[in-house]
Amino acid sequence: MELNIPKHIAIIMDGNGRWAKKRGMPRTAGHKQGAENIRKIAIACNELGVQALTCYAFSTENWKRPESEVEYLCKLPKLFFHRYLEELRKNNIKVTFLGELDRFPKETRNVIETAVEKTKDNTGLILCLAVNYGSRREIMLAAQQYASTCLEQGNVVDLDEDMFASYLMTNGMPEVDLMIRTSGELRISNFLLWQLAYAEFIFTPIAWPDFTKEELVKAIEEYTLRHRRFGGL
Ligand code: IPE
Ligand code: IPE
Ligand code: MG
């Protein structure tokens, strides 16, 4: 089958905790394995010619988890980039992020900002990590920014969908074509509410640490068979 490669794939990487529990390991072991899988899937997307991959790594709601788990998740970017930044860089992958970094420890912020800086001239896959990201907050912040623009200009500035989208954290990224959620949950969990308007959805029971390149290709095959109408015929 000739694959229709989505320009932008967004993944809700769910099921790390259950993956670990099934193996009698602590939830953090699942998160570690999950982080390693980001590297694999990013390299696979890059090889397939996907332009952008957005991975939901930490939501604005995930702060509700036990302190020890939150602490581990906050440290994960350091572990991840320490191990893989060089490889990502060599693969021409450009790292970006969505979300507000200010709530993270300084070291975590630095590590993410360094990864962005060191890969900013790369022209391959955009690997965008959603960290401390929540879409309702993103949309609310966009509305606030728009209101500030109006105040500055002293009148109600004309607004259209493209202009509103430019206030969102995904500004400049291609439209999301395909959204994949692993581990069986059938919900969006505050991810890219605006951007998923016409994305194709694939839900798989496979836990994120077990989601392989083969599974990714299967998802793209299913996407290729979908008939996207965008409201037309
Ligand atoms: C996804 O795995 C990773 C994050 C939300 C940080 P979970 O930690 O949600 O794993 P489950 O859903 O409890 O199995
Ligand atoms: C969504 O997973 C957030 C991330 C994958 C980062 P959750 O595990 O937090 O979602 P819910 O709580 O099951 O909706
Ligand atoms: Mg979960």
Side-chain angles (χ1 to χ4, degrees):
M1 181 198 293
E2 199 188 322
L3 292 179
N4 177 16
I5 302 292
K7 280 202 177 95
H8 186 173
I9 300 178
I11 303 185
I12 302 178
M13 309 181 293
D14 199 14
N16 293 347
R18 280 164 282 174
W19 180 91
K21 192 171 176 218
K22 230 172 92 183
R23 288 162 177 78
M25 300 195 288
R27 291 178 57 85
T28 49
H31 293 315
K32 183 160 180 273
Q33 197 62 33
E36 301 202 350
N37 207 36
I38 296 178
R39 163 196 166 255
K40 274 199 221 150
I41 296 300
I43 288 173
C45 282
N46 195 37
E47 283 167 4
L48 288 162
V50 175
Q51 286 179 22
L53 171 68
T54 297
C55 291
Y56 203 7
F58 191 95
S59 76
T60 47
E61 287 71 34
N62 288 145
W63 297 103
K64 292 180 197 159
R65 295 188 179 196
E67 209 182 303
S68 58
E69 182 167 342
V70 167
E71 205 178 294
Y72 186 82
L73 288 168
C74 287
K75 282 195 201 137
L76 250 186
K78 187 177 161 200
L79 202 104
F80 177 76
F81 286 121
H82 194 76
R83 226 178 253 181
Y84 301 127
L85 180 58
E86 207 34 45
E87 189 186 8
L88 295 172
R89 209 182 56 76
K90 282 193 189 132
N91 276 278
N92 198 23
I93 292 173
K94 175 177 170 149
V95 177
T96 64
F97 68 90
L98 303 178
E100 294 166 284
L101 297 188
D102 52 357
R103 214 173 149 182
F104 290 116
K106 190 161 183 279
E107 228 190 351
T108 305
R109 288 198 311 259
N110 288 346
V111 126
I112 296 173
E113 280 161 359
T114 303
V116 171
E117 175 59 30
K118 284 199 171 163
T119 59
K120 69 177 192 313
D121 296 325
N122 284 354
T123 54
L125 176 83
I126 298 169
L127 171 60
C128 177
L129 299 176
V131 285
N132 188 26
Y133 171 83
S135 194
R136 285 190 170 173
R137 184 160 169 82
E138 173 192 37
I139 292 169
M140 186 200 71
L141 290 172
Q144 272 180 357
Q145 273 187 50
Y146 168 68
S148 303
T149 308
C150 293
L151 274 179
E152 273 163 29
Q153 307 209 0
N155 66 311
V156 176
V157 177
D158 267 349
L159 190 61
D160 62 21
E161 289 186 6
D162 286 341
M163 186 176 160
F164 190 77
S166 75
Y167 288 109
L168 297 172
M169 293 169 179
T170 45
N171 180 30
M173 293 182 72
E175 285 283 320
V176 179
D177 295 310
L178 173 60
M179 193 289 290
I180 300 170
R181 182 169 188 151
T182 59
S183 208
E185 244 59 73
L186 306 180
R187 53 178 171 261
I188 301 297
S189 302
N190 203 12
F191 188 46
L192 301 175
L193 301 178
W194 170 287
Q195 296 86 344
L196 293 178
Y198 267 106
E200 293 296 322
F201 286 12
I202 289 181
F203 295 94
T204 164
I206 296 169
W208 172 248
D210 287 333
F211 189 83
T212 56
K213 182 178 182 182
E214 287 67 44
E215 294 301 328
L216 173 72
V217 171
K218 260 201 255 169
I220 297 176
E221 279 172 2
E222 188 176 331
Y223 168 82
T224 300
L225 296 172
R226 300 268 178 99
H227 181 197
R228 301 181 79 188
R229 283 185 286 274
F230 299 98
L233 296 177

